[in-house]
Amino acid sequence: MSAAEPRIKRPPLIWFPLLAKELTEKANRPRTYWIRTAYALAFFCYFGFEGYALLENATGLGGLGTGAVFFERIYRFQLIGTILFLPALMSGLITYEKERASLPLLLTTDLAPWRIVLQKYIGGLMPMLALQLTAIPMTAVAYSLGGVEARDVWIAAALILAHTLNLGAFYLACSAYCGTSVGAFVCAYLLGAVWFALLVPLTSIEVVLGFPLPPNVEIYELQFLLLKLLPALALGLLGLATYWLRSRAEVSRKNRLRAVFRVLDKGFKRINDLAGGVNFSTKSHSLPEAQPVRWRELHQRSLAQPHYLVRMGLIVEIVAVAVLLYVASKASPWGGSESEELSLLFYTLWALYALVLIVQGANIVASERSQQTLDVLLTTPLKGSTILREKSVVFVRIATMAIIPLGTVCWVETSMEHMPLMDAFKYGIYSLVTFIVGSCFVFWLAVATGLRMRSSFKALLTAIVILIVMSALPKVTGYNPIAILLSPTTAITLNETNW
């Protein structure tokens, strides 16, 4: 460098242009204020009805000390809201730059990778922290009722903040690793639940999922352990996200599920060669004479191919049978009682199945639009209804495979409860009808959302939010009859509770 050449100045430590850009864009979007309004309405409506039911009979001096139960529900609502909403806010922060091919350009600026990650991290957490501030008025009400000390309020606020920092860093790391927003979104929800569940063996389920009152010395020690552990994990995850930001900046879009299946194909092929072999389908490279869109879907989507579906279904069935055997080993030999573990397994399988349907349904049209192939598809002499019907072939095959583990859980549940034959028959019929109607509703709701949205990520997020809102309507509105009818989970819950 010559003496006359000007020296490049490094940006100051407090220079955060990317954070200012992120916050300005969020402030200019009407969607930001709609989300805040919806969250606040859900929060105040829920605690309006819950508070009325809790304090209806607690008048005068009898109401003193009831703030503990109220405060525990506030804490649990905030924690569940963070787990549900934060993946949608954080998982697309870096993949959005990758999809627009602007991340390599961002890395050529004066901003170091850790600065980019830190500013993205703070910008993604700000909306969630703003939503969590809606709990302040209800917390004051719970504190005024008694049963809650000021120290408990501060510890609860610190725990919610620590969980937010930890989960936010995990979701940002998923965004830095994945190549698409949809992949980061699914990875954040699925792996995020596993990451959060790993805290239970370190402490206890009561401390991780709730805020026991009044706390004893052991609970205080576990809470302070979380307050030390969660920020440390967040720092480690931010460092991992910084490493992936540069190493995976230009990662190509790959169907990793299909890549995993291809690796498994080699092993299964060797086993088939030794055992004689069983083929679920034969590959044909000839062009179709009819239904070209259906033929394209069957060859393009991994979950539309029978042998891949059988393998995925086999994995789920093995896990379900293992859980069922564990539950059966703990059950009474006389039976006759409903097992909470079976119901939890049934709801978990339903939730995973609904998530797969939403991902597939939202991508039917949104993926064609993002890949700029929708216009070409619309120039064909096929009707719009025909295109949608042929592209939904994956739905029928996924539903056919999903009914096996769900049916296994229902069969074991009827056996353990020693249901009479007629009651078991009615339960099976109601379960089948609920499965068909619920599957069609979830899938076609996702398809309709994908028709309206320009990107797959927005379609996926919107469909999940609509389902969550519809499912929470009965609880928020105090079990209003219209809200109960509109909720997609009503039939499943009534059938499981033997209503």
Side-chain angles (χ1 to χ4, degrees):
M1 181 184 295
S2 61
E5 188 175 350
R7 189 174 183 179
I8 300 176
K9 295 183 179 181
R10 291 186 177 181
L13 288 175
I14 59 173
W15 187 53
F16 293 147
L18 190 58
L19 176 60
K21 169 182 170 295
E22 292 283 336
L23 296 180
T24 302
E25 290 180 352
K26 285 181 171 63
N28 292 330
R29 293 173 185 166
R31 183 180 60 187
T32 302
Y33 305 98
W34 282 111
I35 292 176
R36 292 180 182 177
T37 303
Y39 187 90
L41 285 176
F43 184 82
F44 289 117
C45 288
Y46 173 74
F47 283 102
F49 289 106
E50 285 289 326
Y52 178 79
L54 183 65
L55 303 176
E56 186 177 8
N57 299 322
T59 57
L61 296 178
L64 297 178
T66 57
V69 179
F70 206 45
F71 184 77
E72 290 176 11
R73 295 181 181 179
I74 293 174
Y75 180 86
R76 192 173 294 112
F77 186 95
Q78 290 287 81
L79 184 60
I80 294 175
T82 302
I83 295 173
L84 292 179
F85 281 86
L86 194 57
L89 298 174
M90 300 291 296
S91 60
L93 290 178
I94 297 179
T95 52
Y96 180 69
E97 303 288 348
K98 293 181 181 180
E99 291 174 342
R100 294 194 308 171
S102 58
L103 183 58
L105 181 63
L106 191 62
L107 291 172
T108 60
T109 62
D110 295 335
L111 294 175
W114 69 269
R115 289 176 177 270
I116 298 174
V117 170
L118 181 61
Q119 294 179 62
K120 288 283 187 180
Y121 180 61
I122 298 175
L125 289 181
M126 283 296 182
M128 191 68 240
L129 296 177
L131 294 178
Q132 291 173 351
L133 292 178
T134 56
I136 293 178
M138 288 299 175
T139 304
V141 173
Y143 181 75
S144 64
L145 292 174
V148 183
E149 298 182 2
R151 179 176 58 177
D152 298 329
V153 176
W154 287 110
I155 292 176
L159 283 174
I160 290 292
L161 179 61
H163 281 297
T164 305
L165 295 176
N166 175 46
L167 293 175
F170 182 84
Y171 300 145
L172 189 66
C174 292
S175 183
Y177 182 83
C178 297
T180 62
S181 298
V182 175
F185 185 81
V186 176
C187 180
Y189 267 105
L190 295 182
L191 297 183
V194 177
W195 178 257
F196 184 79
L198 291 177
L199 297 175
V200 175
L202 298 176
T203 55
S204 66
I205 189 170
E206 293 82 6
V207 175
V208 173
L209 297 179
F211 195 86
L213 287 175
N216 52 34
V217 178
E218 182 182 358
I219 291 177
Y220 272 132
E221 291 178 355
L222 294 177
Q223 288 174 344
F224 281 106
L225 175 62
L226 282 179
L227 290 177
K228 297 176 183 177
L229 178 64
L230 294 178
L233 292 175
L235 288 176
L237 290 169
L238 289 178
L240 195 60
T242 303
Y243 171 75
W244 283 336
L245 181 71
R246 183 177 293 277
S247 63
R248 300 185 61 84
E250 299 181 3
V251 60
S252 59
R253 298 184 182 183
K254 298 179 180 179
N255 192 333
R256 300 194 177 276
L257 182 62
R258 182 173 294 178
V260 172
F261 284 152
R262 285 175 179 172
V263 174
L264 294 177
D265 279 342
K266 297 179 180 179
F268 281 113
K269 188 176 183 303
R270 294 174 182 175
I271 297 175
N272 285 338
D273 293 339
L274 296 175
V278 177
N279 293 324
F280 292 98
S281 62
T282 56
K283 293 184 178 180
S284 176
H285 300 284
S286 60
L287 296 177
E289 298 180 358
Q291 299 180 331
V293 178
R294 182 178 183 274
W295 176 87
R296 177 171 172 263
E297 290 295 310
L298 292 179
H299 285 73
Q300 185 180 19
R301 293 181 180 267
S302 300
L303 291 181
Q305 301 181 20
H307 53 293
Y308 289 159
L309 269 178
V310 169
R311 292 169 188 172
M312 290 295 294
L314 187 61
I315 295 174
V316 176
E317 182 70 13
I318 291 174
V319 174
V321 170
V323 175
L324 291 173
L325 291 176
Y326 172 74
V327 174
S329 64
K330 294 174 55 180
S332 172
W334 301 103
S337 61
E338 186 175 356
S339 175
E340 295 182 358
E341 290 85 356
L342 287 180
S343 299
L344 180 61
L345 176 61
F346 186 80
Y347 292 139
T348 303
L349 290 177
W350 248 111
L352 293 177
Y353 170 56
L355 182 61
V356 172
L357 288 183
I358 291 173
V359 172
Q360 297 297 323
N363 278 318
I364 277 185
V365 178
S367 61
E368 300 286 351
R369 186 181 287 113
S370 62
Q371 296 173 6
Q372 299 181 358
T373 56
L374 182 60
D375 294 338
V376 179
L377 192 61
L378 292 176
T379 59
T380 61
L382 298 175
K383 297 180 179 180
S385 59
T386 304
I387 294 175
L388 287 178
R389 185 172 62 252
E390 293 187 14
K391 286 184 71 66
S392 63
V393 62
V394 65
F395 162 62
V396 180
R397 298 197 171 189
I398 293 176
T400 304
M401 187 55 60
I403 200 173
I404 297 176
L406 289 172
T408 303
V409 177
C410 292
W411 176 73
V412 173
E413 191 170 0
T414 56
S415 301
M416 292 182 61
E417 295 179 12
H418 292 177
M419 284 188 184
L421 183 60
M422 184 56 64
D423 293 342
F425 178 75
K426 291 180 181 179
Y427 174 73
I429 294 297
Y430 292 154
S431 299
L432 180 61
V433 173
T434 302
F435 176 81
I436 295 174
V437 176
S439 301
C440 294
F441 176 78
V442 171
F443 180 77
W444 289 109
L445 173 66
V447 173
T449 307
L451 287 170
R452 298 289 301 176
M453 300 295 169
R454 294 184 178 180
S455 67
S456 302
F457 177 72
K458 291 182 179 180
L460 179 65
L461 177 60
T462 304
I464 290 178
V465 169
I466 291 174
L467 281 177
I468 292 176
V469 170
M470 294 181 68
S471 301
L473 274 179
K475 188 71 174 179
V476 173
T477 59
Y479 296 99
N480 184 277
I482 298 178
I484 292 175
L485 291 176
L486 291 176
S487 175
T489 59
T490 299
I492 302 174
T493 304
L494 293 178
N495 195 37
E496 283 301 300
T497 53
N498 297 327
W499 177 76

